[in-house]
Amino acid sequence: MHRVVSGLLALALTTSGAAAAATPVEVTPFASAVFRATHNSYSGNVDGTKGSITQQLDAGVRFIELDIYTSDFGTLHDYAIGHSGPGDAVDHAGNPASNALRDWLRVINDWSAAHPSHAPLTVMLDLKNDLTSAGSPADGNATALNQELRAVFGSRLLLAKDNAALPTVESARGRVLALLSGDRTSRLGYRHDSGRHPAVAINSHGQVVEVHDSGGGDLWLWTGTYGSDGRITWNRHERYDTGTTPAVALNDQGLLVEVHKSETADTLWYHVGRLGADGAITWSASRKYDSGVQPTVRFTSPGGSALREVHRSQSGSQNWEWKGALDAGALSVSWTGNARTSDALPATNVSASGSAKVTVSTGSDGASPADTLRASTDRAAAENIRYEQLAFVEYQPDDGTELQRTALFYGAPSSNTSFITEARKAGHVVRGWDFDDPGRATTPLANYPATNHPDAAWYVKLMADAHAVR
């Protein structure tokens, strides 16, 4: 399973200056390695003979599976471990007393910190709920999941966004990879978001706010940061109201004004919000200010409080305007000067601050739906608006081309030997779960033969024969 790269030589010099024999440095491509792996790792000896998470890691297991639910997030403020439900089949012997994911991740992180030369350790999160139905981080959407992964593992986490191809085993020692499996809608939602009528605003600090409607009556937002490379990192995603055709303005103090039309009537409404350093927005109540359609809004000076709103009449082609004065303390706007205007409606999907410019749109990235939200900047081509890609996403049989296209990790039941074999030969990293029968060993073997019985003699021998790395 190991390959020697002849160009990498360690050259030792003798005291007389003569060259000693060169020592080749071993390099193991990730996709060529086999790792001890467990299935439903949290279930320990309740379901199988695995022992605690720490015992599994001590024994050389380098793939841990945790099934997680959002159903208790409102009270637990965390995802809950369990099989058919939170707490189901969880073995607490030698493991955390709680079912909170964070406690289990900390056990893994502490073990990793104490064993800095371990082979790359994959933590697979099997998503048992649809995370896209969670309206905010407080409900357990993937914003919260990303925050938790970064908070627990810090710089130890090997990020998917930085690894279009996997590193060698040696270069990734001491690192932890997060892998998302389970609910297909959640995995797709981690890779792209869909919506209609996207609008955007950017300020001089590189703070970005995007708003859009779902097409079904809900209003959603993303907040992000324009980076030094001109690309936007999207940090936070949440539902904030109901309505359609939203627009947004953002000043240099992080204050924003959002306008939209009601989803059921031709009435216009606005919010005022305060954008925090973490991307969270503190909103005022929604307030009606007029009737009409296609509302737009802009600050007339980047650091000021003066606004201009332009919309179209609900009964014709006439455009109307309002002048607004923002009250930052009250998070409200005083609207005055309502009048007809011959000005065209300003574009809501483009915003600029200095030389930085952001444009949002909808369109397929080649595999995603036509209503996929996209963003480009003055320095970066259009990309999907999506969660920061901290975790890798697993592809499984029948998942479709969008999840398959860029997937580095594949997974299937160990009984699906043809899928495992074909994926391995194609150079993917493959998991086979419920690997509880030595007769399911393939050639080549799954990279992660995830078993419920890692201490069984046949499994120990199989891993030794495969030179499983640890």
Side-chain angles (χ1 to χ4, degrees):
M1 293 295 178
H2 295 230
R3 176 168 60 87
V4 174
V5 177
S6 59
L8 297 178
L9 300 177
L11 185 63
L13 298 179
T14 64
T15 55
S16 63
T23 303
V25 178
E26 201 167 51
V27 176
T28 311
F30 203 109
S32 297
V34 171
F35 305 84
R36 290 173 176 83
T38 51
H39 174 239
N40 293 340
S41 310
Y42 57 88
S43 65
N45 294 331
V46 171
D47 178 25
T49 53
K50 294 180 282 288
S52 69
I53 296 295
T54 299
Q55 288 172 331
Q56 293 174 50
L57 295 171
D58 285 342
V61 170
R62 296 296 177 264
F63 181 97
I64 297 292
E65 176 192 349
L66 303 174
D67 295 354
I68 62 172
Y69 287 83
T70 60
S71 47
D72 289 346
F73 205 97
T75 54
L76 192 62
H77 306 297
D78 198 0
Y79 306 90
I81 303 286
H83 190 241
S84 61
D88 177 59
V90 177
D91 188 354
H92 293 288
N95 287 320
S98 79
N99 297 319
L101 174 63
R102 187 177 294 103
D103 294 336
W104 291 71
L105 294 181
R106 284 172 176 163
V107 169
I108 297 169
N109 182 66
D110 291 347
W111 185 93
S112 176
H115 301 81
S117 64
H118 68 77
L121 172 55
T122 300
V123 179
M124 194 196 80
L125 303 177
D126 192 339
L127 309 174
K128 295 298 187 180
N129 295 125
D130 175 7
L131 268 60
T132 66
S133 65
S136 73
D139 301 320
N141 71 9
T143 297
L145 190 60
N146 270 356
Q147 290 172 343
E148 188 157 320
L149 289 171
R150 194 183 287 281
V152 173
F153 294 114
S155 61
R156 194 167 285 111
L157 191 65
L158 195 151
L159 306 182
K161 68 174 186 174
D162 297 334
N163 291 273
L166 285 169
T168 64
V169 170
E170 288 74 20
S171 66
R173 284 193 174 275
R175 306 295 296 278
V176 177
L177 294 76
L179 176 63
L180 302 185
S181 184
D183 183 74
R184 183 185 304 172
T185 301
S186 298
R187 285 182 286 137
L188 286 168
Y190 195 74
R191 301 290 292 160
H192 85 268
D193 189 23
S194 296
R196 299 181 183 179
H197 308 113
V200 71
I202 184 174
N203 66 16
S204 65
H205 304 297
Q207 294 175 302
V208 181
V209 177
E210 184 274 345
V211 293
H212 62 273
D213 67 65
S214 67
D218 290 321
L219 294 172
W220 290 79
L221 65 84
W222 287 90
T223 60
T225 305
Y226 178 100
S228 59
D229 59 357
R231 299 175 66 186
I232 300 173
T233 298
W234 300 101
N235 301 316
R236 192 177 180 94
H237 181 43
E238 61 186 49
R239 181 172 50 230
Y240 67 94
D241 204 346
T242 59
T244 186
T245 57
V248 64
L250 175 66
N251 71 13
D252 290 345
Q253 284 70 53
L255 293 166
L256 56 108
V257 176
E258 180 272 352
V259 295
H260 63 270
K261 189 184 85 69
S262 168
E263 76 278 16
T264 58
D266 291 332
T267 54
L268 302 179
W269 300 74
Y270 83 94
H271 288 279
V272 176
R274 190 183 305 275
L275 180 61
D278 61 352
I281 297 175
T282 302
W283 289 108
S284 71
S286 181
R287 301 180 175 99
K288 180 183 174 182
Y289 67 94
D290 203 350
S291 294
V293 297
Q294 296 179 255
T296 72
V297 67
R298 286 285 186 271
F299 280 102
T300 56
S301 59
S305 59
L307 295 149
R308 186 183 187 221
E309 188 275 349
V310 182
H311 64 271
R312 181 157 294 168
S313 169
Q314 71 272 26
S315 57
S317 59
Q318 179 63 54
N319 291 343
W320 292 78
E321 70 174 346
W322 284 95
K323 295 178 181 178
L326 174 65
D327 184 331
L331 291 182
S332 65
V333 176
S334 297
W335 300 103
T336 59
N338 184 218
R340 293 181 177 88
T341 178
S342 60
D343 292 348
L345 295 175
T348 59
N349 70 320
V350 180
S351 181
S353 180
S355 62
K357 180 180 178 180
V358 182
T359 302
V360 294
S361 60
T362 57
S364 174
D365 67 356
S368 62
D371 61 352
T372 297
L373 296 169
R374 309 268 285 164
S376 62
T377 75
D378 56 296
R379 297 167 56 199
E383 296 180 314
N384 289 355
I385 297 177
R386 62 186 184 183
Y387 295 101
E388 187 179 11
Q389 300 291 283
L390 304 187
F392 295 86
V393 177
E394 186 179 67
Y395 167 74
Q396 298 179 6
D398 303 322
D399 268 345
T401 56
E402 183 178 359
L403 287 174
Q404 183 180 23
R405 187 178 55 168
T406 58
L408 300 176
F409 293 85
Y410 280 42
S414 62
S415 57
N416 194 340
T417 56
S418 61
F419 179 89
I420 292 170
T421 301
E422 291 170 10
R424 284 285 281 116
K425 289 180 177 178
H428 300 291
V429 180
V430 187
R431 171 178 70 110
W433 66 84
D434 274 334
F435 196 94
D436 295 330
D437 181 347
R440 290 183 176 177
T442 54
T443 304
L445 186 64
N447 304 86
Y448 301 124
T451 184
N452 292 291
H453 305 283
D455 297 327
W458 68 265
Y459 189 82
V460 172
K461 183 179 185 302
L462 182 66
M463 293 297 96
D465 291 346
H467 305 288
V469 294
R470 55 181 297 166

